[in-house]
Amino acid sequence: MASNLPIPIPPRTPTPPADDPPSTSNQSPRLQDKDSLSPLRDTFPNLRGSLDPSDANRLSPTRAGFNLSPADALQPSDQSDNASAGPFNFKTTTMAKSPVVKSNIGQRRGHKYKHSSISHQIFLEPPPRAPLALPNSLPIPTFKEYRSSMSKDQTTRFWWSVCHMSVAAYTLWSAHGSLAMTALSHLILFDSIGALLCVAVDILGNFEVWKRSSVRHPFGLERAEVLAGFAMCVLLLFMGMDLISHSLQHFLESSGHEPHHTHVHERVSLGRVDFTALLAISSTLISAIGLKNHGRIGKAMRFGYIESLPSVLSNPSHFLTLSCSTLLLLLPLVSIKLYNWLDVLLSSTISISMCVIGVRLVKTLGSMLLMSYSGPGVSEVIRDIEADPCVYGVDDARFWQVHYGLCMANLKLRVSGTEENLVRLRERIASLIKNRLGGGYGSGGQKWEVSLQFTAEKA
């Protein structure tokens, strides 16, 4: 009995009213019926046959099974294939073989909400920014530009540094009979490289990229000098280790072991002046006074024992070279037996001193490359700042050195007082740092740039 019952017809979805009210003359009498949209009323009388359960094609997607009105069902079709297509009316299309030309006519680029009326209240245009005061990068000179920018004085200094290197080579060639003379040749080589670096830095100062800051090089190219000095100090350290190994080998040979290479020790005869030592003294003085080689390294590295000596001797590199050359001038005045002992002792002393100076320089310049300050006096400066009555405490204090001529100090303080007292405090702290750490005005020390940040505390 249940299979013979008719399948209930689905209710019709109500159609929303049109924007324009239809005229009463064109309304169908069927739409004027108040129960025409009732779900309990059979509004599809013509579809009862299509919903017959015995019909196998009643659910076929290619069959037009829903005619909204009898007029649509009775309307003749011009094409027979459209009647059988139903809702899926696919047609075969042929793609064009020619490339598709994209046209931007009538299109608008950019965000589609940018020019809407609402976006004027939400998305505001950023304010125009002033151009950066620093350039992105500055041109680095080529070798041809570098050579053409040399002045007459710079050319003379360059050729003198080459002559200084030839003196080091001559000293090494004539040092086959003395370990101390071999150590002296290594010291002269280190001084000649320093003289050449000093001339190269002076020539690079002719270009704007050396000192002017840019986005790519915030502190210019002056930090390249620190890197070159670091490489020189590593070379000095390795030369000192090589001299130590050579002295140990000589000691083992003199104690009875068979030498790998024969060493013939020759010395200057009594009463004669060692020309090589005299040439080493003169070349070192010319480079120290005229070219001021190792001058920046001497300011960065301070030895308390020789700091009170004159300007040339206060530099540890010059002091070691000049003292070694002077002692070699006195060696021909002693006996042969004493000469051999003094030669080994002097060579060992020079090699150990080279290692000590090399380690000290590597530590100092390495901290400079890592943007830190390794000089003395920082704790005393912070103690004096905290002792000021306007200062409640020092939250942060950073001291760092960029290159040989520039240091920076950044402090964050908690203070209290009037505006006039705070201005006076700012000037006092800047003067304290520059006088204590920079050596004071006119001393030729490092330049200090001080930046302070004050946090007001309630009294």
Side-chain angles (χ1 to χ4, degrees):
M1 295 295 292
S3 61
N4 296 328
L5 294 177
I7 298 177
I9 301 173
R12 180 182 178 183
T13 304
T15 304
D19 296 335
D20 298 332
S23 59
T24 56
S25 60
N26 297 331
Q27 280 186 337
S28 175
R30 180 183 175 184
L31 296 178
Q32 295 178 357
D33 190 1
K34 62 180 180 180
D35 296 331
S36 60
L37 299 178
S38 175
L40 301 179
R41 186 171 178 178
D42 186 7
T43 57
F44 302 96
N46 295 329
L47 300 179
R48 186 178 300 272
S50 63
L51 297 177
D52 188 2
S54 61
D55 190 1
N57 298 326
R58 71 181 188 275
L59 298 180
S60 175
T62 60
R63 180 176 180 180
F66 299 95
N67 294 326
L68 297 180
S69 63
D72 296 335
L74 296 176
Q75 184 178 0
S77 176
D78 297 337
Q79 299 178 357
S80 59
D81 53 349
N82 291 341
S84 61
F88 302 97
N89 187 11
F90 298 111
K91 294 182 179 180
T92 305
T93 57
T94 304
M95 299 297 294
K97 295 183 179 180
S98 60
V100 179
V101 180
K102 184 178 179 181
S103 176
N104 295 328
I105 300 176
Q107 298 181 2
R108 181 178 60 189
R109 294 185 177 183
H111 202 281
K112 62 180 180 179
Y113 301 112
K114 180 179 180 181
H115 301 285
S116 63
S117 59
I118 302 178
S119 64
H120 287 290
Q121 303 175 5
I122 301 176
F123 303 102
L124 301 178
E125 293 289 340
R129 292 185 178 182
L132 293 176
L134 299 177
N136 291 330
S137 62
L138 293 172
I140 298 178
T142 60
F143 179 75
K144 184 177 181 180
E145 295 173 348
Y146 180 85
R147 188 178 60 180
S148 60
S149 67
M150 296 173 60
S151 62
K152 185 177 180 180
D153 179 63
Q154 291 171 347
T155 305
T156 305
R157 296 172 66 185
F158 170 76
W159 286 113
W160 166 248
S161 62
V162 174
C163 294
H164 199 174
M165 282 190 174
S166 63
V167 171
Y170 174 77
T171 307
L172 181 62
W173 176 76
S174 61
H176 55 85
S178 173
L179 293 176
M181 190 65 70
T182 304
L184 179 62
S185 65
H186 287 68
L187 287 176
I188 297 176
L189 177 62
F190 178 71
D191 291 341
S192 62
I193 295 176
L196 183 62
L197 178 62
C198 180
V199 176
V201 168
D202 191 16
I203 298 174
L204 283 173
N206 300 334
F207 300 93
E208 191 179 14
V209 70
W210 181 252
K211 289 187 177 181
R212 185 179 176 185
S213 301
S214 61
V215 177
R216 186 174 183 180
H217 303 286
F219 305 102
L221 288 181
E222 290 191 70
R223 283 179 59 82
E225 183 185 3
V226 182
L227 184 61
F230 182 81
M232 286 175 49
C233 298
V234 173
L235 177 64
L236 179 66
L237 179 61
F238 276 97
M239 288 191 302
M241 292 181 178
D242 178 70
L243 289 174
I244 291 176
S245 65
H246 194 72
S247 300
L248 290 177
Q249 182 182 359
H250 176 74
F251 175 76
L252 292 176
E253 291 174 0
S254 61
S255 62
H257 292 274
E258 184 180 356
H260 296 284
H261 304 282
T262 57
H263 294 269
V264 180
H265 295 279
E266 299 178 359
R267 62 185 300 273
V268 181
S269 60
L270 296 176
R272 293 183 59 184
V273 178
D274 195 344
F275 176 75
T276 307
L278 189 62
L279 186 62
I281 293 176
S282 59
S283 61
T284 303
L285 288 175
I286 292 174
S287 294
I289 298 175
L291 300 183
K292 299 185 183 302
N293 61 332
H294 308 312
R296 298 179 180 87
I297 294 180
K299 293 177 182 178
M301 182 190 62
R302 301 172 183 174
F303 280 91
Y305 302 103
I306 61 176
E307 192 174 359
S308 59
L309 295 177
S311 58
V312 176
L313 297 178
S314 61
N315 192 309
S317 300
H318 298 157
F319 176 80
L320 189 60
T321 305
L322 293 175
S323 59
C324 177
S325 302
T326 305
L327 291 176
L328 284 175
L329 280 176
L330 301 177
L331 282 183
L333 302 179
V334 299
S335 62
I336 298 178
K337 184 177 181 180
L338 186 60
Y339 175 86
N340 293 332
W341 283 102
L342 289 178
D343 184 74
V344 175
L345 180 62
L346 184 58
S347 173
S348 302
T349 304
I350 293 174
S351 58
I352 294 175
S353 301
M354 290 171 66
C355 291
V356 172
I357 294 175
V359 171
R360 183 79 175 269
L361 285 174
V362 165
K363 181 181 177 181
T364 303
L365 299 183
S367 63
M368 196 180 303
L369 289 175
L370 296 176
M371 289 290 192
S372 62
Y373 180 73
S374 59
V378 176
S379 58
E380 290 81 1
V381 169
I382 296 179
R383 192 181 304 115
D384 291 344
I385 293 175
E386 291 176 342
D388 193 278
C390 296
V391 178
Y392 275 85
V394 179
D395 293 338
D396 192 11
R398 298 184 182 275
F399 297 83
W400 44 295
Q401 187 169 1
V402 180
H403 46 76
Y404 293 118
L406 178 61
C407 301
M408 303 189 73
N410 308 106
L411 292 92
K412 185 178 180 181
L413 310 176
R414 288 181 287 109
V415 298
S416 67
T418 61
E419 188 69 24
E420 184 179 356
N421 292 336
L422 294 182
V423 172
R424 191 180 297 111
L425 175 64
R426 189 181 297 271
E427 295 176 355
R428 178 181 176 274
I429 292 176
S431 176
L432 178 65
I433 293 175
K434 292 177 181 178
N435 292 331
R436 291 283 187 88
L437 304 180
Y441 178 77
S443 62
Q446 293 91 354
K447 176 184 176 182
W448 280 87
E449 292 185 1
V450 183
S451 62
L452 303 173
Q453 180 179 354
F454 290 165
T455 303
E457 292 284 340
K458 296 181 179 180

